[in-house]
């Protein structure tokens, strides 16, 4: 892969090697790593427009970078929501002023974003938004609650879907607003403790939070169109990078099964082979649809494939260990934080895979209605 090597690239390699060597501690600052990537120009490779501090790359180069990053022991990314979701949306629907204001800090790894979509009581029904935004002069005042907001505790900004027309229903009268998170007294973030003991998701309470009028993307009342466009950007080279991680996880499960003698069980052998075959199928599907457009069912098919696959792998990871799968890596006592090994974390965290990002039921409904042309599911008024 040749992006054209520069002195800055050599500096990045040196800094990256030092960073990776130091990344043994879970508390290592991921924001610092985002800035390291940004200084070297490795954020925004997939953006169709250069000139925001990013470098552009061909689709093949993007795949190569994403897969090599996934194979390395590099830290998890905390800037992917801004880079892969908001940035393409701004490029498609944002004004020139919005692009100039928000894209360079994303490319530099300086500003992190979260997604204000899901709400209590609505689940995966995105059109059931009850958060309101009322215009007061040069600002909107936003009131409501968002839930399952990934990385909100780290984010500088949040793109919020809110109802700007109080008389509207369902997907009408919504707007897509860019909201700064540093608003004490107006925005409260409460981490949600998960089964894994970690808190990657959050509740976000908006009590008169302010967003500037010029930070409405696509125009007032056009939020549904913008929000649907953003969801389409969740598909891309990141899917292939995700599958590299799946390969590593499957290899670890197979190794555990061999060491534990579980491969003597024909049912376990059949499941291991099936996991391998399904992962290969996912890769071929991702390559076939990569860079495609106009297929409303492709993102939903991909989500159904990987979510169920990953959940079944988590179940298999603890099954091949027998009784040992229920024993933690360190002694535990009531009232103390518990620790999980990699297989146990995989099993517990993957329970959410078929829910977040649109539940399996929602994905099947999208395929039924938008691809197969079946009658729409009746929905109550909001």
């Amino acid at each position: 892969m040749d992006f054209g090597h520069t002195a800055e690239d050599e500096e990045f390699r040196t800094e990256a090697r030092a960073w990776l060597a130091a990344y043994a501690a879970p508390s290592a600052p991921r924001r610092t790593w985002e800035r390291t990537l940004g200084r070297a120009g490795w954020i925004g490779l997939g953006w169709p427009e250069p000139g925001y501090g990013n470098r552009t790359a061909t689709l093949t180069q993007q795949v190569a970078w994403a897969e090599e990053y996934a194979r390395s022991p590099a830290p998890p990314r905390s800037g992917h929501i801004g880079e892969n979701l908001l940035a393409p949306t701004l490029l498609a629907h944002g004004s020139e002023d919005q692009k100039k204001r928000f894209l360079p800090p994303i490319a530099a790894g300086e500003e992190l974003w979260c997604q204000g979509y899901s709400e209590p009581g609505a689940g995966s029904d995105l059109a059931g938004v009850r958060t309101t935004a009322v215009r007061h002069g040069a600002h909107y005042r936003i009131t409501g609650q968002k839930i399952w907001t990934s990385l909100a505790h780290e984010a500088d900004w949040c793109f919020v879907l809110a109802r700007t027309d109080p008389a509207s229903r369902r997907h009408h009268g919504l707007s897509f607003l860019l909201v700064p998170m540093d608003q004490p007294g107006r925005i409260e973030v409460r981490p949600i403790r998960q089964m894994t003991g970690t808190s990657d998701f959050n509740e976000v309470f908006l009590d008169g939070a302010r967003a500037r009028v010029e930070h409405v993307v696509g125009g007032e009342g056009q939020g549904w169109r913008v929000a649907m466009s953003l969801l389409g950007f969740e598909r891309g080279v990141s899917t292939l990078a995700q599958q590299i991680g799946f390969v590593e996880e499957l290899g670890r499960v197979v190794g555990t099964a061999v060491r534990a003698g579980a491969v003597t069980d024909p049912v376990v052998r059949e499941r291991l082979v099936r996991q391998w075959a399904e992962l290969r199928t996912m890769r071929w599907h991702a390559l076939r649809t990569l860079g495609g457009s106009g297929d409303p069912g492709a993102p939903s098919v991909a989500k159904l494939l990987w979510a169920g696959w990953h959940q079944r792998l988590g179940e298999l990871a603890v099954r091949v260990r027998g009784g040992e799968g229920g024993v933690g890596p360190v002694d535990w006592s009531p009232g103390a934080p518990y620790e999980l090994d990699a297989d146990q974390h995989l099993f517990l965290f993957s329970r959410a895979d078929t829910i977040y990002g649109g539940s399996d039921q929602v994905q099947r409904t999208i395929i039924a209605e938008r691809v197969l042309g079946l009658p729409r599911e009746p929905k109550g008024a909001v």
Side-chain angles (χ1 to χ4, degrees):
M1 176 176 63
D2 183 11
F3 290 98
H5 300 300
T6 66
E8 288 78 11
D9 291 339
E10 291 301 325
E11 180 182 349
F12 168 75
R13 291 190 185 93
T14 301
E15 187 170 356
R17 282 193 289 268
W19 223 99
L20 295 176
Y23 193 74
S27 59
R30 291 190 295 181
R31 183 182 290 266
T32 303
W33 177 244
E34 289 295 318
R35 292 170 177 163
T36 300
L37 291 172
R39 283 196 302 272
W42 292 113
I43 298 176
L45 295 178
W47 301 354
E49 299 178 21
Y52 298 105
N54 64 305
R55 67 176 94 186
T56 58
T58 67
L59 197 57
T60 300
Q61 290 172 330
Q62 292 173 48
V63 171
W65 162 258
E67 291 191 337
E68 290 305 311
Y69 188 95
R71 288 189 180 97
S72 75
R77 294 289 308 279
S78 56
H80 63 91
I81 294 176
E83 178 186 6
N84 299 320
L85 296 184
L86 178 65
T89 303
L90 289 179
L91 289 167
H93 302 284
S95 66
E96 286 303 313
D97 286 343
Q98 289 170 349
K99 295 176 187 178
K100 291 177 182 177
R101 164 59 186 87
F102 293 108
L103 293 180
I106 293 174
E110 295 288 344
E111 290 183 349
L112 304 181
W113 286 80
C114 60
Q115 180 179 30
Y117 273 18
S118 298
E119 296 189 3
S124 295
D125 180 14
L126 185 56
V129 168
R130 286 181 282 187
T131 294
T132 61
V134 179
R135 183 168 177 174
H136 292 270
H139 293 83
Y140 286 91
R141 293 181 182 174
I142 308 167
T143 302
Q145 180 184 354
K146 299 295 181 177
I147 198 166
W148 312 123
T149 310
S150 300
L151 304 178
H153 58 299
E154 299 180 8
D156 304 293
W157 288 80
C158 181
F159 48 90
V160 174
L161 193 63
R163 196 165 296 281
T164 46
D165 180 358
S168 65
R169 296 181 177 180
R170 301 298 301 167
H171 57 276
H172 301 286
L174 300 173
S175 296
F176 190 100
L177 303 101
L178 309 180
V179 182
M181 293 294 286
D182 186 14
Q183 299 191 46
R186 296 193 179 105
I187 296 181
E188 179 185 358
V189 177
R190 299 180 188 174
I192 299 173
R193 192 164 186 263
Q194 300 153 220
M195 289 190 295
T196 56
T198 57
S199 298
D200 300 311
F201 303 129
N202 305 268
E203 293 178 283
V204 178
F205 296 85
L206 304 134
D207 186 8
R210 293 189 176 188
R212 298 177 66 88
V213 169
E214 61 265 32
H215 292 169
V216 176
V217 179
E220 184 177 296
Q222 299 301 310
W224 184 257
R225 178 174 63 93
V226 177
M228 291 299 98
S229 177
L230 181 142
L231 292 177
F233 293 127
E234 289 187 307
R235 177 171 55 103
V237 296
S238 59
T239 302
L240 289 166
Q242 177 192 53
Q243 291 172 12
I244 296 298
F246 289 169
V247 169
E248 300 295 326
E249 290 177 336
L250 177 58
R252 188 179 69 239
V253 173
V254 170
T256 300
V258 171
R259 288 190 298 273
V263 289
T264 60
D265 184 339
V267 175
V268 171
R269 289 202 304 273
E270 189 274 337
R271 288 192 60 181
L272 288 170
V273 171
R274 181 175 290 273
Q275 291 288 143
W276 177 85
E278 290 175 349
L279 183 55
R280 297 298 298 174
T281 301
M282 283 193 289
R283 178 173 176 78
W284 293 329
H285 173 74
L287 289 169
R288 181 180 65 84
T289 60
L290 190 63
S293 61
D295 183 353
S300 294
V301 170
K303 176 63 164 58
L304 283 172
L305 287 173
W306 75 253
W309 182 92
H310 201 223
Q311 198 170 86
R312 292 190 297 275
L313 182 67
E315 294 167 355
L316 190 57
V318 294
R319 174 172 178 173
V320 299
R321 292 171 57 176
E324 181 190 339
V327 180
V330 298
D331 291 339
W332 174 82
S333 60
Y338 57 84
E339 294 186 26
L340 304 171
D341 60 33
D343 292 329
Q344 293 164 339
H345 186 278
L346 170 61
F347 170 67
L348 292 176
F349 191 86
S350 63
R351 308 314 298 166
D353 286 346
T354 53
I355 302 174
Y356 68 75
S359 68
D360 278 10
Q361 291 84 350
V362 167
Q363 306 304 334
R364 292 189 178 99
T365 297
I366 291 172
I367 294 170
E369 295 178 354
R370 302 183 191 177
V371 179
L372 301 179
L374 298 177
R376 288 188 173 272
E377 183 182 66
K379 297 179 174 67
V382 175

